[in-house]
Amino acid sequence: MKTIYEKSITVLGSTGSVGTQALDVARTQNIKVDAICGAVNVSKLEEQIREFRPKICGVLSENAAKELRIKVADTDTRIVSGEQAIIDIAGSGNSDCVINSITGKAGLAPSVAVLRSGVSLALANKETIVCAGEIVNRLAKENNVKILPVDSEHSAIFQCIGNSRHEDIKSIWLTASGGPFFGRTREELSGITPEMALAHPTWKMGPKITIDSATLMNKGFEVIEARYLFDVKGENIKVVVHPESIVHSMVEYIDNAVIAQLSCPDMRLCVQYALSYPDRCTGTLKPLDLTELGSLTFKKPDLKTFKLLDLAYKVLDKGGNLGAALNGANERAVALFLDKKISFTDIMDLVTAAVDKIEFISEPALEDINKTDIRARQLIDELIRS
Ligand code: MG
């Protein structure tokens, strides 16, 4: 059997929060990095190329690629550019594992390419599953690919399940930090600025997911993600607010025993476990000192105020193309909020209205998923104008 040290990886979205932490793991574990991909961050990509010496680096922006090509002309790394180039790297089959930490719907096509190549997919891009859960599961099965969760909650569930029999699982308990606005009323949420929403209490993440955490949309996405990763019905996936972010999620079995995974909040454990699975290895994670923490608290989420979490359950229940609609609408609304064009509560109202208006397709093909994504974004713009 291969040890983690003998593995080679490709990191998609290498300049983002999870991407840089994936490369931290590669550094600590001495893992070979075959390829990296980023959107526009030339200086970060240059730094990563000089340290990890990948054979190839994909850059989304043509202009950034031109600049990078000049900067790293003295290295052996080939720079390619554009969306298709990144999809080609994802599907090249050259690594033992591809880590997809691209943000948003943009991560779907690269995930599909990885699955078709038969290489294992360490998935941090939850939007892949939110948009196309059924299709992704079918592709994984057809190509005999294991999807290894990198989202902290899903990594926790993956660890809690271990070798248990599927029929013994009663429910999944996803923990949520609650975001910075837990306990606030709808009125109190209306004046929130992007700066306030970007200050997450326990996790340091990119801007899009930080806003999603503040609206609880992120938790809604994670409910959908858990449904497809672990084949558990929506009604058996529960959310509990746990502000300390120490219990990363739990699995309840039919005998009412609950198994939880606890550790200091650090995404590097999730990447490391995805790469070392089914084994474990030592790493950089700080040991957990429960006596120093003293207590852990758990509360019910407020589904009325944070209605996007509730909406995610409804979307999951109806299925079809609604996941893609939910994600597309949310991506557009979050971008508008970060741009100060709409308010924090507008995100919730607009996304709810857009999902309500989308044309329903019960068994969408990938093409329908892409069309739904575009349509949902248009609906947000139309709703603002009306
Ligand atoms: Mg998460």
Side-chain angles (χ1 to χ4, degrees):
M1 206 179 65
K2 272 187 174 176
T3 68
I4 188 167
Y5 310 101
E6 288 161 351
K7 270 193 183 151
S8 69
I9 57 168
T10 287
V11 183
L12 310 176
S14 68
T15 57
S17 173
V18 176
T20 50
Q21 295 183 77
L23 289 174
D24 286 344
V25 173
R27 182 185 303 115
T28 320
Q29 303 292 338
N30 211 8
I31 293 169
K32 186 167 159 263
V33 180
D34 292 314
I36 57 173
C37 292
V40 292
N41 192 337
V42 173
S43 56
K44 193 101 204 165
L45 285 171
E46 180 186 1
E47 196 184 303
Q48 294 176 345
I49 287 170
R50 295 201 179 280
E51 179 176 0
F52 295 96
R53 303 276 161 176
K55 284 196 274 300
I56 190 162
C57 169
V59 192
L60 187 62
S61 145
E62 306 277 350
N63 286 336
K66 268 185 206 154
E67 205 184 312
L68 184 62
R69 239 173 242 127
I70 297 165
K71 289 200 163 176
V72 299
D74 60 315
T75 70
D76 295 328
T77 302
R78 193 158 68 92
I79 310 297
V80 291
S81 62
E83 206 182 317
Q84 188 55 47
I86 291 174
I87 296 170
D88 291 344
I89 289 175
S92 70
N94 288 336
S95 297
D96 295 312
C97 180
V98 177
I99 299 166
N100 184 355
S101 49
I102 291 171
T103 300
K105 155 78 171 52
L108 175 59
S111 284
V112 167
V114 178
L115 294 171
R116 287 187 174 140
S117 76
V119 165
S120 66
L121 173 64
L123 191 61
N125 175 265
K126 66 192 81 188
E127 293 88 345
T128 289
I129 292 179
V130 172
C131 291
E134 294 279 355
I135 297 171
V136 164
N137 272 356
R138 199 183 321 131
L139 281 170
K141 207 172 163 194
E142 280 168 10
N143 296 287
N144 200 19
V145 174
K146 184 112 193 124
I147 300 177
L148 302 152
V150 174
D151 206 346
S152 65
E153 294 77 3
H154 304 75
S155 173
I157 296 160
F158 190 52
Q159 295 176 61
C160 293
I161 288 177
N163 286 325
S164 302
R165 292 189 306 176
H166 185 262
E167 61 263 42
D168 291 346
I169 298 169
K170 182 172 141 191
S171 48
I172 282 174
W173 288 88
L174 289 172
T175 51
S177 70
F181 311 125
F182 177 71
R184 297 212 193 172
T185 62
R186 166 125 186 147
E187 290 66 43
E188 289 168 335
L189 293 179
S190 54
I192 282 162
T193 62
E195 292 74 21
M196 290 154 82
L198 286 173
H200 193 276
T202 47
W203 292 99
K204 173 103 193 65
M205 307 174 289
K208 196 254 176 188
I209 188 171
T210 306
I211 303 302
D212 288 347
S213 296
T215 60
L216 288 201
M217 182 74 275
N218 182 55
K219 209 48 59 181
F221 286 160
E222 290 181 351
V223 169
I224 299 175
E225 193 185 4
R227 155 74 187 86
Y228 291 104
L229 281 177
F230 305 110
D231 191 21
V232 172
K233 283 186 192 151
E235 66 204 60
N236 296 328
I237 303 170
K238 319 270 171 66
V239 172
V240 60
V241 175
H242 168 51
E244 295 87 0
S245 299
I246 295 295
V247 176
H248 297 300
S249 277
M250 299 168 268
V251 176
E252 184 177 7
Y253 289 90
I254 49 173
D255 55 2
N256 292 335
V258 178
I259 309 286
Q261 187 260 324
L262 289 75
S263 55
C264 294
D266 189 331
M267 286 305 296
R268 288 172 295 191
L269 173 70
C270 310
V271 176
Q272 185 181 297
Y273 187 69
L275 295 175
S276 70
Y277 168 83
D279 301 329
R280 289 182 182 272
C281 59
T282 55
T284 53
L285 184 71
K286 252 184 20 194
L288 179 63
D289 185 345
L290 285 172
T291 56
E292 193 185 303
L293 278 162
S295 63
L296 298 174
T297 54
F298 302 91
K299 292 171 187 123
K300 267 193 183 152
D302 173 2
L303 296 190
K304 270 219 178 88
T305 305
F306 295 90
K307 61 183 179 181
L308 292 181
L309 174 56
D310 197 39
L311 179 63
Y313 278 101
K314 289 179 183 137
V315 162
L316 185 53
D317 194 41
K318 285 188 87 179
N321 62 335
L322 290 191
L326 178 67
N327 180 72
N330 180 65
E331 270 188 44
R332 180 69 187 137
V334 169
L336 289 166
F337 170 70
L338 287 171
D339 232 9
K340 304 197 170 173
K341 299 270 168 31
I342 62 171
S343 75
F344 186 77
T345 43
D346 283 343
I347 303 175
M348 307 186 194
D349 297 342
L350 289 167
V351 171
T352 306
V355 169
D356 192 48
K357 277 185 181 311
I358 204 88
E359 300 76 13
F360 183 67
I361 306 170
S362 61
E363 283 178 38
L366 261 182
E367 211 184 280
D368 302 314
I369 297 291
N370 293 333
K371 281 184 191 156
T372 301
D373 174 68
I374 293 166
R375 180 68 192 129
R377 290 165 199 257
Q378 283 171 350
L379 278 169
I380 293 286
D381 293 338
E382 287 172 22
L383 283 160
I384 292 171
R385 281 196 298 268
S386 65

